[in-house]
Amino acid sequence: MPPTASAIGDARTGWQYPPPMGDGDGDVVTGSLEPTGRFSTAGLSRWWHAAARSDELARAPLGRVVFDVPVVLFRDASGAAAALVDRCPHRNVPLSVGRCVHGQIECGYHGWRFDGAGRCCAVPGLAERGDPDRGARRVAALPVVESDGMVWVAVGAGGPATAEPPRLVGVGEPGYRTVGLTLDVPGPMLAAVENALDVPHTSFLHRGPFRGRAERVPVGVTVRHRGDAIEAVFEGEPVPPGLIGRLLSPDGGVVEHTDRFVAPALAQVEYRLGSRHIALNACYTPVDDRSCRLIAIAAYRLPIPESVARSALLPLARVILGQDNRMLRLQQQTVERFGGERFVHTPIDVLGPHITRLVRRLERGEATSGALPADEQVTLLT
Amino acid sequence: MPPTASAIGDARTGWQYPPPMGDGDGDVVTGSLEPTGRFSTAGLSRWWHAAARSDELARAPLGRVVFDVPVVLFRDASGAAAALVDRCPHRNVPLSVGRCVHGQIECGYHGWRFDGAGRCCAVPGLAERGDPDRGARRVAALPVVESDGMVWVAVGAGGPATAEPPRLVGVGEPGYRTVGLTLDVPGPMLAAVENALDVPHTSFLHRGPFRGRAERVPVGVTVRHRGDAIEAVFEGEPVPPGLIGRLLSPDGGVVEHTDRFVAPALAQVEYRLGSRHIALNACYTPVDDRSCRLIAIAAYRLPIPESVARSALLPLARVILGQDNRMLRLQQQTVERFGGERFVHTPIDVLGPHITRLVRRLERGEATSGALPADEQVTLLT
Amino acid sequence: MPPTASAIGDARTGWQYPPPMGDGDGDVVTGSLEPTGRFSTAGLSRWWHAAARSDELARAPLGRVVFDVPVVLFRDASGAAAALVDRCPHRNVPLSVGRCVHGQIECGYHGWRFDGAGRCCAVPGLAERGDPDRGARRVAALPVVESDGMVWVAVGAGGPATAEPPRLVGVGEPGYRTVGLTLDVPGPMLAAVENALDVPHTSFLHRGPFRGRAERVPVGVTVRHRGDAIEAVFEGEPVPPGLIGRLLSPDGGVVEHTDRFVAPALAQVEYRLGSRHIALNACYTPVDDRSCRLIAIAAYRLPIPESVARSALLPLARVILGQDNRMLRLQQQTVERFGGERFVHTPIDVLGPHITRLVRRLERGEATSGALPADEQVTLLT
């Protein structure tokens, strides 16, 4: 239910509803109660975004929505990934509810068929041989590439903003195994990315399954700016309690831990201890400005059987992501209820505010190659 | 979720989202990818539309929505069909949730009663005898007539646009039996009418229960324009495979098949073979611009027991209409998602584009008695 | 589904849709079909409204929405009721989904804690000792008082409009027992208050469980205006049939019955017979302009065991309120469908129109201390 238009609030405490909105610039100030506004990330639609994992593209067509654009994915006759606008030009039924026949996609209403380039190849019942109108029956094809186990698309006008999609860590490298997961996320991409890279909430929200140290330990964090990426490197962090830690080292020790955002929408979390390595590659592809889809591949190099790793990692991930999704849904509902975000930050929100600022610059087309901010040092009780 | 305002698309394939909208004129061009727009049929609200089948009007009042107007139908003291605006003038509760008492409708909240003309006949608890305000408590009555087994209303301002509602085929004629069916349809009237009169999709979408010839056969189709009706006559069509064909002729042969649109919202499909005759009269009454209600009566003259015809026809109809409703829902969702229709036509879309053009002319009040377009000939592989 | 913009109607009966709207002034005229408009009661947000019963505030925080403002209620370290805006300043998750720890409320996402005044008391993981930004992390506290078994808040800008919340009848008085009930109501406050104080519908809608006299009896009603209250006193009313009557007097007799509205949103119904007394205090706190929450305490002085009264009163109340909620939901849906209220009144709608007029005056800040309307006399067949 939308709030009423009439402003209310309390003169004594200074609270005001609806809150005055910022200019949506996304400039965030530590310790400020000023509204930070709320903005669309539609400006990122020209970048490459993960639409599916490669192993999701099998016999059936796959319908996905990317930046509000319905897309149908399938494999063409050569086995290459194809991406078309998910609407039959005849009567506007989604092609994704049809089926794949010999590398063509067939609409479920009248049986029209299209190849991977969107060309109409068959119209059942049409007797004309010359078929002068075939060109008009074409479906728009979207730019698509496949790399690192992901199918990437760029739906925005003007074509892809970058030559290549971002690279994933560990996927396809010798000695690594992978496990994939795809999940709807009931919040915007930026909130989901911050959640994925936010350490403080893990000790609290996930204290059961994931963390849950008896006493908090101070850890030094270095924040590094790298053009279209930002990373937080944790120094002197003990092996975390719980399953992740036990997979890395049954005997404890100090772990190398890096959280990284890579534009436009990739969150990476890495844990290393000697030759052991776990790397989560989490793509948060915007569905619209209120929700996104997590398309993730975890790569790991661990001296344990694949079945053990899989049977442990996936169920753990589902529990943790379920807890996160609940918070992201509540956050989004509250932001909508109040008419915009109004966040206050502390020094231990090490990446979120930086990511928001970086994304805003990328959306405006501002160069990321100029002078980068200096590294920052923060202490976090983890 | 509404699409974002920002335009996106692909420069190389020329696709654009949201698509540029037409002027909503409904002029459709074969083989064009230009948007045809999307328009309201509210201009047809002054025409007679089926609100219910006569046999649906029994003891309980019946609430129906026609062109966004809530209507309550019931039988008055004389047994005649009555139609009132479905809102008690006292506290605005729908009268249709009340009950019928001696040919009056009684509101379920305070028990006020109204006759078929909308006059208030009782206010429980009110002691005044003179009752000077009785006139102010009147409910608006809507024009209503009953013919051919249907209850017709005209809700638009200015009263009925035509003297009589359209006539149904076969209903009430000697030697004919009838079977009725009412169903919500999750798409606009024009999409539903086109679907009902579209032959090409039947060979594909309904190939299981309805059609499913081993080899397609060329059939000549003549399209005839008749003022406020358009019909497609199929010549040389073999008895269709499946149940309909078997009811018409167990031994095959050539059938007379006519599909017909009669303004404002009636689709008729007739199959004849000798004295055997099946006529479907399908009224698609707009609920609003996004959905309609199918109120249908099939009349048939067949040398088989009524129980056989009924036990075969109704279940078959429900299967077919369920498949059609799925497509109409997907079509409507996609049209809304993209902000408007963008249809491309082929010569075998024999009636749909003509119906749209005819309805637009009727909405604008343009005469239908002038020079009619000449007949057209099309070949369809059926 | 919103109605279409195009106006329709019937020239012969004068009905028109959408109906022409009034100026929303709420001036109601007996016997008029003119639209009375529909107005927001947001102007009452500065008044004290019941947010919860005192016995609802236990260990867990309680989230309530009052005039579209999400509020979290809990008991602080001293046991006093506290009310904060239900949004963590950090990442805007509702505080009400967290928990109470030692009189502080803890957010469920990162574990931030706040006291009853909204001060931030803990940020897990933050190492800084000086904590210069603590003030910026404050949550707005709302005015709150506790009296007569209710927790009252005033959410509107400018602080409480009156010094004290309204007083309840019987609660806390010697010889009285109480029973509480809280229920969502799917209609606006004014419709719900009128329903609670409307006698004519009880004989009809609730004729099973509540009333249901064989013959209607004329009862004289005096309507008295009292500044920010209006009451209807029923004279010569026989003990009502059904349970309420039997609790008052197993042997019949004449009962003293008073229905009363007390600004801003309290409906009181009292039955007395000698020393026996039943008083219903029903607060209808607006959630928004379309719905409200009933927070009620019934106080009674009856020579029967508490268990009998409780086991009889609560189930009876739930049946009656369920029937009323159904009508209020249908009323609200119809009002929205037609774009506004269009009520017609009779003399036996003794309180509703007066309450609407009083509330409008209070919203505009017009004095209620001037000359009051004279008493009115009405006869009601009950």
Side-chain angles (χ1 to χ4, degrees), chain C residues 262-330:
Chain C
V262 182
L266 171 60
Q268 290 177 326
V269 178
E270 290 188 65
Y271 287 100
R272 273 179 209 272
L273 198 154
S275 67
R276 297 173 186 227
H277 187 197
I278 300 178
L280 172 66
N281 300 278
C283 298
Y284 289 92
T285 302
V287 172
D288 51 33
D289 284 336
R290 307 166 66 248
S291 64
C292 58
R293 180 173 278 112
L294 167 61
I295 305 172
I297 300 178
Y300 54 93
R301 191 175 57 196
L302 294 172
I304 51 173
E306 179 165 7
S307 60
V308 171
R310 278 180 168 271
S311 65
L313 284 176
L314 263 183
L316 176 68
R318 293 200 179 277
V319 169
I320 290 172
L321 292 169
Q323 294 171 333
D324 285 332
N325 262 7
R326 178 167 176 254
M327 285 300 142
L328 290 168
R329 181 181 292 111
L330 288 164

Coordinates of all heavy atoms in Angstrom, one line a residue, chain C residues 262-330:
Chain C
V262 N -16.2 8.8 20.4 CA -15.3 9.7 21.1 C -14.1 9.9 20.1 O -13.5 9.0 19.7 CB -14.8 9.2 22.4 CG1 -14.0 10.2 23.1 CG2 -16.0 8.8 23.3
A263 N -13.9 11.2 19.8 CA -12.8 11.5 18.9 C -11.5 11.0 19.5 O -11.3 11.1 20.7 CB -12.8 13.0 18.6
P264 N -10.5 10.6 18.7 CA -10.6 10.6 17.2 C -11.2 9.3 16.6 O -11.6 9.3 15.5 CB -9.1 10.7 16.8 CG -8.4 10.0 17.9 CD -9.1 10.3 19.1
A265 N -11.2 8.2 17.4 CA -11.5 6.9 16.7 C -12.0 5.9 17.6 O -11.7 4.7 17.5 CB -10.2 6.4 16.0
L266 N -12.7 6.3 18.7 CA -13.2 5.3 19.7 C -14.7 5.1 19.6 O -15.4 6.1 19.6 CB -12.8 5.8 21.1 CG -13.3 5.1 22.3 CD1 -12.9 3.6 22.3 CD2 -12.9 5.8 23.6
A267 N -15.1 3.9 19.5 CA -16.6 3.6 19.5 C -16.9 2.9 20.8 O -16.2 1.9 21.2 CB -16.9 2.7 18.4
Q268 N -17.9 3.4 21.6 CA -18.3 2.7 22.8 C -19.7 2.3 22.8 O -20.6 3.1 22.3 CB -18.1 3.7 24.0 CG -16.6 4.0 24.3 CD -16.4 5.0 25.4 OE1 -17.1 6.0 25.5 NE2 -15.3 4.8 26.1
V269 N -20.0 1.1 23.2 CA -21.3 0.6 23.3 C -21.6 0.1 24.8 O -20.8 -0.7 25.3 CB -21.5 -0.6 22.3 CG1 -23.0 -1.2 22.5 CG2 -21.3 -0.2 20.9
E270 N -22.6 0.6 25.4 CA -22.8 0.3 26.8 C -24.2 -0.3 27.0 O -25.2 0.3 26.4 CB -22.7 1.5 27.7 CG -21.3 2.0 27.9 CD -21.2 3.1 28.9 OE1 -21.5 2.8 30.1 OE2 -20.9 4.2 28.6
Y271 N -24.3 -1.3 27.7 CA -25.6 -1.9 28.2 C -25.6 -1.9 29.7 O -24.7 -2.5 30.3 CB -25.9 -3.3 27.6 CG -26.2 -3.3 26.1 CD1 -25.2 -3.7 25.2 CD2 -27.5 -3.1 25.7 CE1 -25.5 -3.8 23.9 CE2 -27.8 -3.2 24.3 CZ -26.8 -3.5 23.4 OH -27.1 -3.6 22.1
R272 N -26.7 -1.4 30.3 CA -26.8 -1.4 31.8 C -28.2 -1.9 32.1 O -29.2 -1.6 31.4 CB -26.7 0.0 32.3 CG -25.4 0.5 32.6 CD -25.5 2.0 33.2 NE -24.3 2.7 32.9 CZ -23.3 2.8 33.7 NH1 -23.2 2.1 34.8 NH2 -22.2 3.5 33.3
L273 N -28.2 -2.7 33.2 CA -29.5 -3.1 33.8 C -29.3 -3.2 35.3 O -28.6 -4.2 35.7 CB -30.1 -4.3 33.1 CG -31.6 -4.5 33.4 CD1 -32.2 -5.4 32.3 CD2 -31.9 -5.2 34.7
G274 N -29.7 -2.3 36.0 CA -29.4 -2.3 37.5 C -27.9 -2.1 37.6 O -27.2 -1.3 37.0
S275 N -27.3 -3.0 38.4 CA -25.9 -3.0 38.6 C -25.1 -3.7 37.6 O -23.9 -3.7 37.5 CB -25.5 -3.6 40.0 OG -25.8 -5.0 40.0
R276 N -25.8 -4.4 36.7 CA -25.1 -5.1 35.6 C -24.7 -4.1 34.5 O -25.5 -3.3 34.2 CB -26.0 -6.2 35.0 CG -26.4 -7.3 36.0 CD -27.4 -8.3 35.5 NE -27.8 -9.2 36.5 CZ -27.9 -10.5 36.3 NH1 -27.6 -11.0 35.1 NH2 -28.2 -11.3 37.3
H277 N -23.5 -4.3 34.0 CA -23.0 -3.3 33.0 C -22.0 -4.0 32.1 O -21.1 -4.8 32.5 CB -22.3 -2.2 33.8 CG -21.8 -1.1 33.0 ND1 -20.9 -0.2 33.4 CD2 -22.2 -0.7 31.8 CE1 -20.7 0.7 32.5 NE2 -21.5 0.5 31.5
I278 N -22.2 -3.8 30.8 CA -21.3 -4.3 29.8 C -20.9 -3.0 29.0 O -21.7 -2.3 28.5 CB -21.9 -5.3 28.9 CG1 -22.3 -6.6 29.7 CG2 -20.9 -5.7 27.8 CD1 -23.0 -7.6 28.8
A279 N -19.6 -2.8 28.9 CA -19.1 -1.6 28.1 C -18.0 -2.1 27.1 O -17.0 -2.6 27.5 CB -18.5 -0.6 29.0
L280 N -18.3 -1.9 25.9 CA -17.3 -2.2 24.8 C -16.5 -0.9 24.5 O -17.2 0.1 24.1 CB -18.0 -2.8 23.6 CG -17.0 -3.0 22.4 CD1 -16.0 -4.0 22.7 CD2 -17.8 -3.3 21.1
N281 N -15.2 -1.0 24.6 CA -14.4 0.2 24.1 C -13.6 -0.3 22.9 O -12.7 -1.1 23.0 CB -13.4 0.5 25.2 CG -14.0 1.0 26.5 OD1 -14.5 2.1 26.7 ND2 -14.2 0.0 27.5
A282 N -14.0 0.2 21.8 CA -13.4 -0.3 20.5 C -12.6 0.9 19.8 O -13.2 1.8 19.3 CB -14.5 -0.8 19.6
C283 N -11.3 0.8 19.8 CA -10.5 1.8 19.1 C -10.2 1.3 17.7 O -9.8 0.2 17.5 CB -9.1 1.9 19.8 SG -9.3 2.5 21.5
Y284 N -10.5 2.1 16.7 CA -10.3 1.8 15.3 C -9.1 2.6 14.8 O -9.4 3.7 14.2 CB -11.6 2.0 14.5 CG -12.6 1.0 14.8 CD1 -13.6 1.2 15.8 CD2 -12.6 -0.2 14.1 CE1 -14.6 0.2 16.0 CE2 -13.6 -1.2 14.4 CZ -14.6 -1.0 15.4 OH -15.5 -1.9 15.6
T285 N -7.9 2.2 15.0 CA -6.8 2.9 14.6 C -6.5 2.8 13.1 O -6.3 1.7 12.6 CB -5.5 2.4 15.4 OG1 -5.8 2.6 16.8 CG2 -4.3 3.3 15.1
P286 N -6.5 4.0 12.4 CA -6.2 3.9 11.0 C -4.8 3.3 10.7 O -3.8 3.7 11.3 CB -6.3 5.3 10.5 CG -7.2 6.0 11.5 CD -6.8 5.3 12.8
V287 N -4.8 2.3 9.8 CA -3.5 1.8 9.3 C -3.2 2.7 8.0 O -2.0 3.1 7.9 CB -3.6 0.3 8.9 CG1 -2.4 -0.2 8.1 CG2 -3.9 -0.5 10.1
D288 N -4.1 2.9 7.2 CA -4.0 3.8 6.1 C -5.5 4.3 5.8 O -6.4 4.0 6.6 CB -3.3 3.2 4.9 CG -3.9 1.9 4.5 OD1 -5.1 1.7 4.6 OD2 -3.2 1.0 4.0
D289 N -5.7 4.9 4.6 CA -7.0 5.4 4.3 C -8.0 4.3 3.9 O -9.1 4.5 3.6 CB -7.0 6.5 3.3 CG -6.5 7.8 3.9 OD1 -6.6 8.0 5.1 OD2 -5.9 8.6 3.1
R290 N -7.5 3.0 3.8 CA -8.3 1.9 3.3 C -8.5 0.9 4.3 O -9.3 0.0 4.1 CB -7.6 1.3 2.1 CG -7.3 2.2 1.0 CD -6.3 1.6 -0.1 NE -6.9 0.5 -0.8 CZ -6.6 -0.7 -0.7 NH1 -5.6 -1.1 0.2 NH2 -7.2 -1.7 -1.4
S291 N -7.8 0.9 5.4 CA -8.0 -0.1 6.4 C -7.6 0.4 7.8 O -7.0 1.5 7.9 CB -7.1 -1.3 6.1 OG -5.7 -0.9 6.1
C292 N -8.0 -0.3 8.8 CA -7.7 0.1 10.2 C -7.5 -1.2 11.0 O -7.6 -2.3 10.5 CB -8.8 1.0 10.7 SG -10.5 0.3 10.8
R293 N -7.2 -0.9 12.3 CA -7.1 -2.1 13.2 C -7.9 -1.8 14.4 O -7.9 -0.8 15.0 CB -5.6 -2.2 13.6 CG -5.4 -3.4 14.6 CD -3.9 -3.7 14.9 NE -3.3 -4.5 13.8 CZ -2.4 -4.0 13.0 NH1 -2.0 -2.8 13.1 NH2 -1.9 -4.8 12.1
L294 N -8.8 -2.8 14.7 CA -9.6 -2.7 15.9 C -8.8 -3.2 17.1 O -8.3 -4.3 17.1 CB -10.8 -3.6 15.7 CG -11.7 -3.9 17.0 CD1 -12.2 -2.7 17.6 CD2 -12.8 -4.9 16.7
I295 N -8.7 -2.4 18.1 CA -8.0 -2.7 19.3 C -9.0 -2.5 20.4 O -9.3 -1.3 20.7 CB -6.7 -1.9 19.5 CG1 -5.8 -2.1 18.3 CG2 -6.0 -2.3 20.8 CD1 -4.6 -1.2 18.2
A296 N -9.6 -3.5 21.0 CA -10.7 -3.4 21.8 C -10.5 -4.0 23.2 O -9.8 -5.0 23.4 CB -11.9 -4.0 21.2
I297 N -11.2 -3.3 24.2 CA -11.3 -3.9 25.5 C -12.7 -3.8 26.0 O -13.3 -2.7 26.0 CB -10.3 -3.1 26.5 CG1 -8.9 -3.2 26.1 CG2 -10.5 -3.7 27.9 CD1 -7.9 -2.5 27.0
A298 N -13.3 -4.9 26.3 CA -14.6 -5.0 26.9 C -14.5 -5.0 28.4 O -13.8 -5.9 28.9 CB -15.4 -6.1 26.3
A299 N -15.2 -4.1 29.1 CA -15.2 -4.2 30.6 C -16.6 -4.6 31.0 O -17.6 -4.1 30.4 CB -14.8 -2.8 31.1
Y300 N -16.7 -5.4 32.0 CA -18.1 -5.9 32.4 C -18.2 -6.1 33.9 O -17.2 -6.5 34.5 CB -18.5 -7.1 31.6 CG -17.5 -8.3 31.7 CD1 -17.7 -9.2 32.7 CD2 -16.4 -8.4 30.9 CE1 -16.8 -10.3 32.9 CE2 -15.6 -9.4 31.0 CZ -15.7 -10.4 32.0 OH -14.9 -11.4 32.2
R301 N -19.3 -5.8 34.4 CA -19.6 -6.1 35.8 C -20.9 -7.0 35.8 O -22.0 -6.5 35.6 CB -19.8 -4.8 36.6 CG -19.9 -5.0 38.1 CD -20.0 -3.6 38.8 NE -21.1 -2.9 38.3 CZ -21.3 -1.6 38.5 NH1 -20.4 -0.9 39.1 NH2 -22.4 -1.0 38.1
L302 N -20.7 -8.3 36.0 CA -21.8 -9.2 35.9 C -21.6 -10.3 37.0 O -20.5 -10.7 37.3 CB -21.8 -9.9 34.5 CG -22.0 -9.1 33.3 CD1 -21.7 -9.9 32.0 CD2 -23.4 -8.5 33.3
P303 N -22.8 -10.7 37.6 CA -22.7 -11.7 38.7 C -22.6 -13.1 38.1 O -23.4 -14.0 38.4 CB -24.0 -11.5 39.4 CG -25.0 -11.0 38.3 CD -24.1 -10.3 37.3
I304 N -21.6 -13.3 37.3 CA -21.3 -14.6 36.7 C -19.8 -14.9 36.8 O -19.0 -13.9 36.8 CB -21.8 -14.7 35.3 CG1 -21.3 -13.6 34.4 CG2 -23.4 -14.7 35.2 CD1 -21.6 -13.7 32.9
P305 N -19.4 -16.1 36.8 CA -18.0 -16.4 36.8 C -17.3 -15.9 35.6 O -17.8 -15.8 34.5 CB -17.9 -18.0 36.9 CG -19.3 -18.4 37.3 CD -20.2 -17.4 36.8
E306 N -16.0 -15.5 35.8 CA -15.2 -14.9 34.7 C -15.1 -15.9 33.6 O -15.2 -15.5 32.4 CB -13.8 -14.6 35.2 CG -12.9 -14.0 34.2 CD -11.7 -13.3 34.7 OE1 -11.4 -13.4 35.9 OE2 -10.9 -12.7 33.9
S307 N -14.9 -17.2 33.9 CA -14.8 -18.1 32.8 C -16.0 -18.2 31.9 O -15.9 -18.3 30.7 CB -14.5 -19.5 33.4 OG -15.6 -19.9 34.2
V308 N -17.2 -18.1 32.5 CA -18.4 -18.1 31.7 C -18.4 -16.9 30.8 O -18.7 -17.0 29.5 CB -19.6 -18.1 32.6 CG1 -20.9 -18.0 31.8 CG2 -19.7 -19.4 33.3
A309 N -18.2 -15.7 31.3 CA -18.2 -14.5 30.5 C -17.2 -14.5 29.4 O -17.6 -14.2 28.2 CB -18.0 -13.3 31.4
R310 N -16.0 -14.9 29.7 CA -15.0 -15.0 28.7 C -15.3 -16.0 27.6 O -15.2 -15.8 26.4 CB -13.6 -15.4 29.3 CG -12.9 -14.2 29.9 CD -11.6 -14.6 30.5 NE -10.8 -13.4 30.8 CZ -10.0 -12.9 29.9 NH1 -9.8 -13.4 28.7 NH2 -9.3 -11.8 30.3
S311 N -15.7 -17.2 28.0 CA -16.0 -18.3 27.0 C -17.2 -17.9 26.2 O -17.4 -18.5 25.1 CB -16.2 -19.6 27.8 OG -17.3 -19.6 28.5
A312 N -18.0 -17.0 26.7 CA -19.2 -16.6 25.9 C -18.9 -15.4 25.0 O -19.3 -15.3 23.8 CB -20.4 -16.4 26.8
L313 N -18.3 -14.4 25.6 CA -18.1 -13.1 24.9 C -17.2 -13.1 23.8 O -17.5 -12.6 22.7 CB -17.7 -12.0 25.9 CG -18.7 -11.5 26.9 CD1 -18.1 -10.5 27.9 CD2 -19.8 -10.8 26.1
L314 N -16.0 -13.8 23.9 CA -15.0 -13.7 22.9 C -15.5 -14.5 21.6 O -15.4 -13.9 20.5 CB -13.7 -14.2 23.4 CG -12.7 -13.2 23.8 CD1 -11.4 -13.8 24.2 CD2 -12.4 -12.2 22.7
P315 N -15.9 -15.7 21.7 CA -16.4 -16.4 20.5 C -17.5 -15.6 19.8 O -17.6 -15.6 18.6 CB -16.8 -17.8 21.0 CG -16.1 -17.9 22.3 CD -16.0 -16.6 22.9
L316 N -18.5 -15.1 20.6 CA -19.6 -14.3 20.0 C -19.0 -13.1 19.3 O -19.4 -12.8 18.1 CB -20.5 -13.9 21.1 CG -21.7 -12.9 20.7 CD1 -22.6 -13.7 19.8 CD2 -22.4 -12.3 21.9
A317 N -18.1 -12.4 19.9 CA -17.5 -11.2 19.3 C -16.8 -11.6 17.9 O -16.9 -10.9 16.9 CB -16.5 -10.6 20.2
R318 N -16.1 -12.8 17.9 CA -15.4 -13.1 16.7 C -16.4 -13.5 15.6 O -16.2 -13.1 14.4 CB -14.5 -14.3 17.0 CG -13.4 -14.0 17.9 CD -12.2 -14.9 17.8 NE -11.1 -14.5 18.7 CZ -10.2 -13.6 18.4 NH1 -10.3 -13.0 17.2 NH2 -9.3 -13.2 19.2
V319 N -17.5 -14.1 15.9 CA -18.5 -14.4 14.8 C -19.1 -13.1 14.3 O -19.1 -12.8 13.1 CB -19.7 -15.2 15.4 CG1 -20.8 -15.3 14.4 CG2 -19.1 -16.6 15.7
I320 N -19.5 -12.2 15.2 CA -20.1 -10.9 14.7 C -19.1 -10.1 13.9 O -19.4 -9.5 12.9 CB -20.6 -10.1 16.0 CG1 -21.8 -10.8 16.6 CG2 -20.9 -8.7 15.6 CD1 -22.2 -10.3 17.9
L321 N -17.8 -10.0 14.5 CA -16.8 -9.2 13.8 C -16.5 -9.8 12.4 O -16.1 -9.1 11.5 CB -15.6 -9.0 14.6 CG -15.8 -8.2 15.9 CD1 -14.6 -8.3 16.8 CD2 -16.1 -6.7 15.5
G322 N -16.5 -11.1 12.3 CA -16.3 -11.7 11.0 C -17.4 -11.3 10.0 O -17.0 -11.0 8.8
Q323 N -18.6 -11.3 10.4 CA -19.7 -10.9 9.5 C -19.5 -9.4 9.1 O -19.7 -9.0 8.0 CB -21.0 -11.1 10.2 CG -21.4 -12.6 10.4 CD -22.6 -12.8 11.3 OE1 -23.0 -11.9 12.1 NE2 -23.3 -13.9 11.1
D324 N -19.2 -8.6 10.1 CA -19.0 -7.2 9.8 C -17.8 -6.9 8.9 O -17.9 -6.1 8.0 CB -18.7 -6.4 11.1 CG -20.0 -6.2 11.9 OD1 -21.1 -6.2 11.3 OD2 -20.0 -6.1 13.2
N325 N -16.7 -7.6 9.1 CA -15.5 -7.5 8.3 C -15.8 -7.8 6.8 O -15.3 -7.2 5.9 CB -14.4 -8.4 8.8 CG -13.4 -7.6 9.6 OD1 -13.6 -6.4 9.9 ND2 -12.3 -8.2 10.0
R326 N -16.7 -8.9 6.6 CA -17.0 -9.2 5.3 C -17.7 -8.0 4.6 O -17.4 -7.7 3.4 CB -17.9 -10.5 5.3 CG -18.3 -10.9 3.9 CD -19.0 -12.2 3.8 NE -19.4 -12.5 2.4 CZ -20.7 -12.5 2.0 NH1 -21.6 -12.3 2.9 NH2 -21.0 -12.7 0.8
M327 N -18.7 -7.4 5.3 CA -19.4 -6.3 4.7 C -18.5 -5.1 4.5 O -18.5 -4.4 3.5 CB -20.6 -5.9 5.6 CG -21.7 -6.8 5.6 SD -22.4 -7.0 3.9 CE -22.8 -8.7 3.8
L328 N -17.6 -4.8 5.4 CA -16.7 -3.7 5.3 C -15.7 -3.9 4.1 O -15.4 -2.9 3.4 CB -15.9 -3.5 6.6 CG -16.8 -3.0 7.8 CD1 -16.0 -3.0 9.1 CD2 -17.2 -1.5 7.5
R329 N -15.3 -5.1 3.9 CA -14.4 -5.4 2.8 C -15.1 -5.2 1.5 O -14.6 -4.6 0.5 CB -13.9 -6.8 2.9 CG -12.9 -7.2 1.7 CD -12.4 -8.6 1.8 NE -11.5 -8.8 3.0 CZ -11.8 -9.5 4.1 NH1 -13.0 -10.2 4.1 NH2 -11.0 -9.6 5.0
L330 N -16.4 -5.7 1.4 CA -17.2 -5.5 0.2 C -17.5 -4.1 -0.1 O -17.4 -3.6 -1.2 CB -18.5 -6.3 0.3 CG -18.3 -7.9 0.2 CD1 -19.6 -8.5 0.7 CD2 -18.1 -8.3 -1.3

